[in-house]
Amino acid sequence: MNMWAKYKGILYDASFESKTEVIIRTFNKSESDDSFFIKKYPDGTPIYIKYVAKAELEELYEEREYGTWNGMEFELDGGAPRGWYTLWYSTYNYKRDAEMIKKIESLGMKIVEPGLWRIEVPKSSLTNYHIKRIDLLNK
């Protein structure tokens, strides 16, 4: 999941500081000005950071990855080892979703906490990979 903010025509990596303020960041000095502050990674690489009011942004959105595995669509998490995805399924309505829970457990998904299952699968086992953009500016 990645969050992006368009500010003064430039697309930045972003995250929320609060409901009304967003942190934007870039490694590209030419995409920053004197209002950005500089932080350095331990290896010395500079990153340019600025706090911006949400109202000043042209766009703010999150990108989430999805793919189909065994005929079902799942949100993907690239946090697994290279070449793998972590798939998640969540519900808190066990009665309504009993059939789905049986199906995902029969496919090897393991419960990690009440209402949350996961499994790591090779990227090659997925079809219909796509990214959904979720508007956060107008929420």
Side-chain angles (χ1 to χ4, degrees):
M1 166 173 52
N2 296 313
M3 185 183 297
W4 302 98
K6 190 177 243 183
Y7 176 69
K8 296 186 178 180
I10 299 172
L11 195 59
Y12 294 94
D13 179 62
S15 58
F16 279 109
E17 174 65 11
S18 68
K19 288 183 179 182
T20 59
E21 193 172 45
V22 174
I23 302 167
I24 60 173
R25 59 187 78 74
T26 182
F27 289 103
N28 188 340
K29 183 179 168 84
S30 68
E31 294 177 344
S32 67
D33 59 29
D34 292 339
S35 64
F36 283 70
F37 66 92
I38 303 169
K39 251 186 146 173
K40 291 197 176 187
Y41 283 94
D43 70 357
T45 303
I47 185 165
Y48 305 89
I49 300 170
K50 181 175 181 159
Y51 294 85
V52 179
K54 188 176 168 183
E56 293 180 50
L57 299 173
E58 298 155 39
E59 289 183 69
L60 180 64
Y61 59 91
E62 192 173 76
E63 289 182 336
R64 293 187 183 178
E65 297 175 288
Y66 291 84
T68 302
W69 179 67
N70 285 308
M72 297 174 289
E73 184 176 81
F74 289 92
E75 184 170 349
L76 309 176
D77 179 357
R82 211 175 259 270
W84 292 74
Y85 278 117
T86 302
L87 309 182
W88 299 94
Y89 178 76
S90 66
T91 185
Y92 291 99
N93 190 333
Y94 289 87
K95 190 174 182 177
R96 180 195 69 207
D97 296 331
E99 287 301 313
M100 183 63 162
I101 292 168
K102 279 185 201 173
K103 186 172 184 176
I104 63 166
E105 287 179 344
S106 74
L107 293 170
M109 291 190 88
K110 303 290 184 206
I111 193 162
V112 293
E113 63 183 56
L116 185 63
W117 289 258
R118 75 184 279 276
I119 191 169
E120 291 179 1
V121 300
K123 288 183 179 183
S124 61
S125 70
L126 296 173
T127 59
N128 193 29
Y129 171 87
H130 58 284
I131 296 173
K132 291 183 183 176
R133 185 184 282 195
I134 298 143
D135 179 20
L136 301 173
L137 191 60
N138 301 302
K139 272 190 163 181

